[in-house]
Amino acid sequence: MVTESRCRLAGTHRIDHCGTGELGRFSRFPRTHLRGTSTLATSHYPEQTPLVERLRELSLLTDSFERGVKEGEAVSVLVDGPVGTGKTRLLDAFAEWASKTRNAFLLRATCARSEEHLSLGVVRQLLDQLLDGPDAPGVRVSPTVQRLREDVLSLLLSSPDPDAARQAAFRAQIELVPVFQDLARERPVVVFVDDAHHMDPSSAHCLLYAIRRLRSPVVFVLAQPGVPSGDLRSFYDELLHQGNCRSLRLRTLSVAGVRQVVDAVVDAFPQLDAEQFAGACHEVTGGNPRLMHAMLSDLRPLAHAPRAGVPESQAVGEFFARAVSNCLLRAPVPIQKVARAMAVLGHVGSPVLVARLCGVEPIQAEKATAGLTTMGLVVDGGFRSGPARLAVLEEMSPEERAELHGRTAELLHENGGSAMTLARHLIVGGKVRGPWAIGVLHEAARQAAVHHDVGFAVACLELATLAGSDERRPVTKAMLLDVAWRRDPAVAGRHVNGLVEALHRGEVEAEQAVTLVWHLLWQGRIGDAAAALDRLRDSLFAEDGRELPVATALRAWLAHSFPMLLSLFRPGPTAAASSRERPGRETVLYDIDHRVRAQVGLAEVLGNRTGPHPLADARQVLRGSPGDELTYTSVHAALLTLVYADRTGEARQWCERLLAGTSRHEAPTWHAQLTSVLAEVRLRSGAVVKAEESAAAAMAALPERSWGVAIGQPLVPLLQAQVLLGKLEQAGQLVERPLSPAMLQSRHGLTYRYAVGQYQLARQSPQAALDLFLEAGELARVWGLDSPSLVPWRGGAAEALVALGRPGRAGELLAEQLELAGDEYPRARAMTLRSMAALVDLEKRGPLLSHAVELLRACGDRVELARTLLALGTMHGALGEARRARIQTQLAYRVAKECGVPALLSAQTRTAPPEPTPVASGLLTFAEQRVATLAARGHTNREIATQLFITPSTVEQHLTRVFRKLKVKQREELPLGLGLHSFDAV
């Protein structure tokens, strides 16, 4: 029976939780073998912890000792239990009790896997302690022990024949018995053998021989993590059949036991919530004391932190990983194999797969899994925690880990594993294990791209390129080029040359060749792209001359981005006939993928052939795009279709939605492109300050070399925004910036020339501006991109001509632009009407400007709205209509101020006019508000009735109620704030 004092003694000792065995013996924290003293080496235990839930086992050990002393015979106790459950510490507690309370002589041996082949290795450790230990018995036994040790040493150092070895071992068995008898005459003897499952067979037979024949108070305590197999199995079977042998099994701690340990050290961790941490600790460790103490050790850096909870990332760390590795190193080999297999397989590790991966029978795998479960590492066939699984993976050598992952990929492929899972194993394995692996890696790369995991997608494709002479290598390289482009186009460009070489060798199919052309043009390599197009002629058309879908997409993209190369595209007769009106629509659009819809739609809008189809197709592409790298060009084209069709509100919503779902870290190129489109949208909406911010952010998101010819995407709106904001010095720096000649030969060259022309107008250089506008117009006509929504060059040229004193030619250009704009481009039409109004008689300007105002209110361009309102105010002032002039001028100033561009106003209006008195919300009905607003602007009752499609008498009735509610007597007294009401939301 263990007394209370013994329990307190057992509960105050500190020991090395790493234990002994191989890792413990070579640890940074070497333990001191116990030789009659209670001082044990400590490692990284946070504080002294009690011996929890081990009193029954300690009582069994003490009872066995008392029985042996009382009856004067040898007693053996076999202590087993999972690794890390505290067997060593239990032995230490018992040893301290036996030494201090019963003055027992202690001998201790520690076994290790690396010493299993050393004959009589355990016996040698016991003999060394008898001769050299601090508590050695003296000369009375020394001669016998010395001779015996010399015999054992000779056996260890020599290589005798098997017969000689057996004879030496037999002599040791016989001579060791009297040594124990002599020791036991003076005081009881306790012999400890830790990690006994690694004991060499010769030592095991010596101890078994002594246990059977000794009639002296000698207690043998053997600790191990379970009954071993092989040569030692017979030893334990015979030992357990002895009448003087008892066994006990340690188990992991319960939740209450873990809480006891945590309570004992909680004072050292003021930031620790003891109850919460105890539950989490048991969940992670399964109650394994070694793992539990390792978790506490990982918290040591937080011992003096304020109470703020323990971050999950710091709850387990280096000590925990080391403890997991040590547990496995001390476990039997089958358990190690199964643990590694389970760690590699992860959540897909069924017992059958684990057994096949280990190369063992399923029953053996199940037993090993049960052992890992009792150890606390595994629950329900999987690791309790990610850190435990990671520790097992890191414990393996790189070669072993790679081989296991490779074999796992093969097994999972046979059992229908997912592409992503297979690819992860293949990547760690570092090999393409069979032709099936290429398709798996391609599919995994596509899925990873959809989820913006660019790094994993690149890893999949880079591994696929190692597949020898696989015929799908060009496909892999094209995919790798697309995926790598998302992270950095300059880096992706390194893969271009390899695909060019494959094209010259005739190994590239049409799909990959189109990808190659796109990337060559992004880099500005127009000559190489032209050569590639020349080689592509025959591969882009079917035998009957019909154009392949991928060819249709390429032709449409060239038409709106690099139209100068369109002449190299030689369609077959059928495709040529079908493309005279609308390229590709009649023959292929509705039975091919969204890439054709997007590219053809944008080509039609920029070719000034807008209609319901491009907009419907653009919306369908945006709604149905999976979001992978292969559809980014389609999404980009669909967004630009909405922008250039004057659907800026819709385009802004899509940009913001796509940006919210795109990581600037994983897909910086796509994020930068979306930001540049948003800058264009904001510029066309009048949010000039935000447009400048977006354009600058887009340019900064990628190095200039990565932008390639697409640098025009953010550069043009940035330049235009700075001109509108009056930042001419900064705009001049952009104009002086050296640009690639290839960029000027693309669509961006048109928008760039137009933007520089606006800059020259702002600098009062109309002739330089005119030259740029006319140059842009000539290219636009030649390239088939003469859309007033893309580049309203005629309006810019007209403004420059007026400044140069040539209004006649200006009027002709504006008439052309008005006809081109039609009803499809309200923004361009409104801009043209405003410019035309300046060229007609004063009395004729009103209808033109009023119509322009309504168009601009509908499309949302507030900058152009401010300009048009200012023109209206100027007209009313010239006509002597002071009140109307004042209202329109105030409207223009307010809108320009909201846009951040008050510099648009003339010098005399730049000083802010007094703010109008606002009208109380809800005072007027909606109908009354509409009538009062128009009346406040100076419109007559008949004009109001015409605009609102009501009768003049209805107007009079509404005004009567308005006068009464606002307490005024005539329309001249209406608050000016009514004239601003309808523009509050612009």
Side-chain angles (χ1 to χ4, degrees):
M1 182 68 65
V2 181
T3 64
E4 184 180 355
S5 61
R6 296 176 201 160
C7 295
R8 286 199 301 267
L9 176 63
T12 57
H13 241 40
R14 299 177 60 182
I15 65 170
D16 176 6
H17 90 272
C18 282
T20 51
E22 289 181 312
L23 183 60
R25 295 178 65 197
F26 299 101
S27 169
R28 292 174 51 196
F29 310 100
R31 67 176 292 109
T32 302
H33 287 290
L34 181 62
R35 298 186 183 91
T37 173
S38 62
T39 304
L40 301 179
T42 60
S43 66
H44 41 266
Y45 271 359
E47 291 294 337
Q48 294 181 351
T49 56
L51 193 65
V52 175
E53 295 184 350
R54 296 292 181 260
L55 296 185
R56 187 185 67 83
E57 290 80 4
L58 182 58
S59 177
L60 189 147
L61 287 171
T62 57
D63 288 346
S64 298
F65 179 92
E66 298 290 7
R67 174 187 169 188
V69 172
K70 179 179 179 181
E71 298 182 1
E73 63 176 15
V75 176
S76 60
V77 181
L78 187 60
V79 181
D80 68 38
V83 177
T85 50
K87 295 182 296 296
T88 301
R89 190 170 189 194
L90 177 64
L91 266 58
D92 288 341
F94 172 60
E96 185 166 354
W97 172 86
S99 175
K100 288 195 171 185
T101 308
R102 294 296 183 264
N103 192 32
F105 180 74
L106 306 179
L107 293 173
R108 189 162 196 162
T110 301
C111 306
R113 180 180 292 111
S114 59
E115 298 175 4
E116 289 178 347
H117 66 286
L118 297 179
S119 297
L120 298 176
V122 172
V123 173
R124 167 70 190 280
Q125 292 186 53
L126 299 177
L127 295 175
D128 287 345
Q129 291 179 60
L130 287 172
L131 289 173
D132 304 327
D135 198 24
V139 295
R140 189 167 60 81
V141 297
S142 294
T144 303
V145 175
Q146 181 65 40
R147 184 181 68 256
L148 183 56
R149 184 171 69 168
E150 290 174 357
D151 291 343
V152 172
L153 183 60
S154 175
L155 177 62
L156 292 174
L157 296 179
S158 63
S159 300
D161 58 68
D163 292 337
R166 282 193 294 270
Q167 292 175 8
F170 182 70
R171 287 197 304 270
Q173 292 177 22
I174 296 175
E175 295 182 3
L176 194 59
V177 172
V179 171
F180 285 139
Q181 288 176 340
D182 289 343
L183 289 174
R185 289 191 183 99
E186 297 183 2
R187 50 179 171 159
V189 178
V190 182
V191 179
F192 296 96
V193 181
D194 207 354
D195 288 335
H197 60 298
H198 291 313
M199 184 165 46
D200 63 280
S202 299
S203 294
H205 290 303
C206 285
L207 294 183
L208 183 59
Y209 184 87
I211 291 170
R212 284 201 302 258
R213 286 165 174 76
L214 274 173
R215 294 299 180 263
S216 301
V218 180
V219 180
F220 293 87
V221 183
L222 290 79
Q224 61 188 20
V227 178
S229 58
D231 295 338
L232 290 182
R233 182 58 184 264
S234 59
F235 161 73
Y236 285 101
D237 287 342
E238 188 171 349
L239 180 63
L240 290 171
H241 279 87
Q242 300 296 315
N244 58 349
C245 179
R246 304 179 70 180
S247 66
L248 62 91
R249 182 171 183 80
L250 300 187
R251 302 188 182 279
T252 53
L253 302 183
S254 65
V255 177
V258 173
R259 178 61 189 270
Q260 281 184 263
V261 176
V262 173
D263 286 342
V265 300
V266 70
D267 291 341
F269 300 99
Q271 88 291 353
L272 202 64
D273 184 322
E275 183 174 357
Q276 181 180 1
F277 180 77
C281 188
H282 188 273
E283 183 177 349
V284 171
T285 67
N288 185 303
R290 180 173 302 170
L291 302 181
M292 177 188 62
H293 285 296
M295 284 188 66
L296 289 171
S297 298
D298 282 319
L299 293 179
R300 179 175 286 278
L302 303 176
H304 302 292
R307 187 179 183 88
V310 179
E312 183 179 352
S313 60
Q314 297 182 17
V316 290
E318 177 186 357
F319 286 122
F320 181 83
R322 191 183 303 173
V324 171
S325 298
N326 181 253
C327 284
L328 288 181
L329 283 171
R330 298 182 62 198
V333 173
I335 288 183
Q336 295 180 27
K337 288 184 177 181
V338 168
R340 291 167 183 168
M342 292 177 66
V344 169
L345 282 166
H347 66 279
V348 298
S350 68
V352 175
L353 285 177
V354 170
R356 292 186 62 187
L357 187 58
C358 294
V360 300
E361 294 296 327
I363 187 64
Q364 293 177 292
E366 290 180 8
K367 289 181 178 179
T369 302
L372 289 168
T373 303
T374 59
M375 195 185 299
L377 288 175
V378 168
V379 63
D380 296 331
F383 280 90
R384 282 183 172 272
S385 66
R389 176 173 176 258
L390 182 61
V392 176
L393 291 173
E394 292 179 346
E395 178 263 338
M396 290 186 281
S397 67
E399 296 77 14
E400 181 184 11
R401 185 176 175 184
E403 178 61 23
L404 275 178
H405 277 283
R407 285 165 50 198
T408 299
E410 293 176 340
L411 288 174
L412 293 178
H413 173 65
E414 295 172 3
N415 289 272
S418 68
M420 293 291 284
T421 301
L422 293 176
R424 289 190 179 93
H425 290 295
L426 287 170
I427 290 171
V428 178
K431 294 180 181 178
V432 176
R433 306 174 78 95
W436 56 267
I438 302 298
V440 165
L441 291 170
H442 284 180
E443 179 59 28
R446 290 189 184 94
Q447 294 182 25
V450 169
H451 295 92
H452 308 297
D453 192 351
V454 179
F456 183 71
V458 169
C460 289
L461 296 171
E462 286 180 344
L463 178 61
T465 59
L466 302 178
S469 58
D470 190 277
E471 61 183 8
R472 287 172 292 180
R473 178 176 289 184
V475 178
T476 303
K477 289 184 176 180
M479 291 181 65
L480 181 59
L481 187 57
D482 274 331
V483 175
W485 171 87
R486 293 175 59 185
R487 181 172 288 177
D488 189 344
V491 174
R494 301 171 187 171
H495 303 287
V496 168
N497 290 335
L499 207 55
V500 170
E501 295 172 359
L503 176 68
H504 291 318
R505 292 194 300 267
E507 300 173 354
V508 179
E509 299 293 334
E511 183 81 15
Q512 296 82 56
V514 168
T515 298
L516 174 61
V517 169
W518 190 88
H519 284 283
L520 285 171
L521 291 175
W522 178 282
Q523 296 178 17
R525 298 167 59 176
I526 295 180
D528 292 337
L533 283 171
D534 188 57
R535 294 187 64 91
L536 278 175
R537 288 179 191 168
D538 298 334
S539 61
L540 293 178
F541 304 96
E543 293 181 359
D544 60 358
R546 291 176 64 85
E547 194 172 71
L548 296 178
V550 67
T552 303
L554 173 61
R555 180 158 52 86
W557 182 77
L558 290 175
H560 66 64
S561 294
F562 285 90
M564 58 175 292
L565 294 178
L566 202 57
S567 60
L568 297 175
F569 199 99
R570 298 185 180 181
T574 305
S578 66
S579 63
R580 288 170 187 162
E581 299 298 327
R582 286 181 172 181
R585 177 170 298 284
E586 289 82 357
T587 57
V588 296
L589 181 58
Y590 291 107
D591 59 351
I592 58 175
D593 64 13
H594 55 273
R595 278 182 287 173
V596 175
R597 294 179 183 272
Q599 303 302 342
V600 172
L602 181 57
E604 290 190 352
V605 169
L606 296 185
N608 208 36
R609 296 187 297 273
T610 188
H613 293 304
L615 292 175
D617 291 340
R619 294 178 181 118
Q620 183 173 350
V621 168
L622 291 169
R623 286 194 298 266
S625 172
D628 61 15
E629 84 290 347
L630 303 178
T631 62
Y632 277 1
T633 55
S634 304
V635 172
H636 186 247
L639 285 173
L640 292 181
T641 299
L642 295 178
V643 172
Y644 293 126
D646 287 345
R647 304 305 194 271
T648 51
E650 193 175 351
R652 176 183 56 80
Q653 293 176 358
W654 276 108
C655 281
E656 292 173 349
R657 185 183 307 177
L658 291 168
L659 280 169
T662 304
S663 168
R664 69 178 61 193
H665 303 293
E666 279 294 339
T669 306
W670 179 226
H671 196 277
Q673 279 199 306
L674 283 175
T675 306
S676 67
V677 175
L678 182 60
E680 179 75 18
V681 169
R682 285 174 168 172
L683 187 68
R684 288 170 176 258
S685 302
V688 184
V689 176
K690 290 184 176 180
E692 181 192 26
E693 293 173 354
S694 296
M699 288 192 67
L702 291 176
E704 186 171 346
R705 60 184 177 83
S706 296
W707 271 109
V709 298
I711 188 66
Q713 291 183 21
L715 178 62
V716 169
L718 179 60
L719 175 58
Q720 291 177 307
Q722 290 182 347
V723 170
L724 289 173
L725 293 170
K727 299 179 180 180
L728 297 184
E729 184 176 350
Q730 297 179 31
Q733 294 175 359
L734 291 178
V735 171
E736 297 298 326
R737 190 184 188 125
L739 296 173
S740 164
M743 193 277 279
L744 296 175
Q745 298 179 60
S746 69
R747 179 185 75 238
H748 304 302
L750 296 179
T751 57
Y752 177 74
R753 289 177 173 89
Y754 178 75
V756 176
Q758 291 178 306
Y759 164 75
Q760 295 295 352
L761 280 179
R763 291 182 63 248
Q764 307 299 320
S765 301
Q767 186 59 54
L770 179 63
D771 294 340
L772 286 165
F773 290 137
L774 293 178
E775 182 182 355
E778 180 64 24
L779 288 174
R781 282 198 296 260
V782 172
W783 289 352
L785 298 178
D786 194 11
S787 168
S789 179
L790 175 66
V791 181
W793 62 272
R794 293 175 179 83
E799 188 174 350
L801 287 168
V802 170
L804 292 171
R806 299 164 57 187
R809 177 57 182 155
E812 295 174 1
L813 291 176
L814 290 173
E816 292 178 14
Q817 183 163 293
L818 188 64
E819 183 179 357
L820 283 173
D823 295 328
E824 289 84 5
Y825 302 107
R827 177 174 176 270
R829 186 174 184 83
M831 293 167 61
T832 308
L833 290 173
R834 176 180 60 80
S835 298
M836 293 181 72
L839 301 179
V840 301
D841 293 339
L842 200 61
E843 294 79 7
K844 298 179 181 180
R845 294 179 186 179
L848 296 176
L849 293 175
S850 296
H851 185 36
V853 167
E854 298 305 320
L855 290 173
L856 291 169
R857 289 180 59 196
C859 70
D861 190 336
R862 294 182 295 164
V863 170
E864 285 300 322
L865 179 62
R867 284 172 168 162
T868 308
L869 290 172
L870 179 60
L872 267 174
T874 303
M875 180 200 72
H876 287 305
L879 294 172
E881 301 171 348
R883 178 178 173 81
R884 286 190 173 186
R886 185 167 62 255
I887 292 174
Q888 301 300 340
T889 301
Q890 285 183 336
L891 285 172
Y893 180 84
R894 178 173 178 178
V895 174
K897 184 178 179 182
E898 289 176 351
C899 296
V901 289
L904 286 174
L905 306 181
S906 58
Q908 63 268 26
T909 61
R910 286 180 183 172
T911 302
E915 288 291 333
T917 304
V919 179
S921 176
L923 191 60
L924 303 179
T925 66
F926 178 72
E928 293 168 352
Q929 180 74 55
R930 295 174 68 197
V931 171
T933 297
L934 293 174
R937 293 185 187 179
H939 291 281
T940 65
N941 286 3
R942 185 170 297 279
E943 291 173 341
I944 296 172
T946 301
Q947 290 193 42
L948 300 182
F949 302 100
I950 56 179
T951 63
S953 62
T954 303
V955 174
E956 292 178 2
Q957 294 173 16
H958 284 315
L959 284 177
T960 300
R961 288 192 292 271
V962 169
F963 293 162
R964 184 175 65 253
K965 290 181 178 180
L966 299 183
K967 299 179 181 180
V968 297
K969 296 181 179 179
Q970 54 188 352
R971 66 178 63 214
E972 286 76 10
E973 298 177 8
L974 289 172
L976 292 177
L978 286 170
L980 302 177
H981 178 77
S982 61
F983 299 103
D984 287 345
V986 174

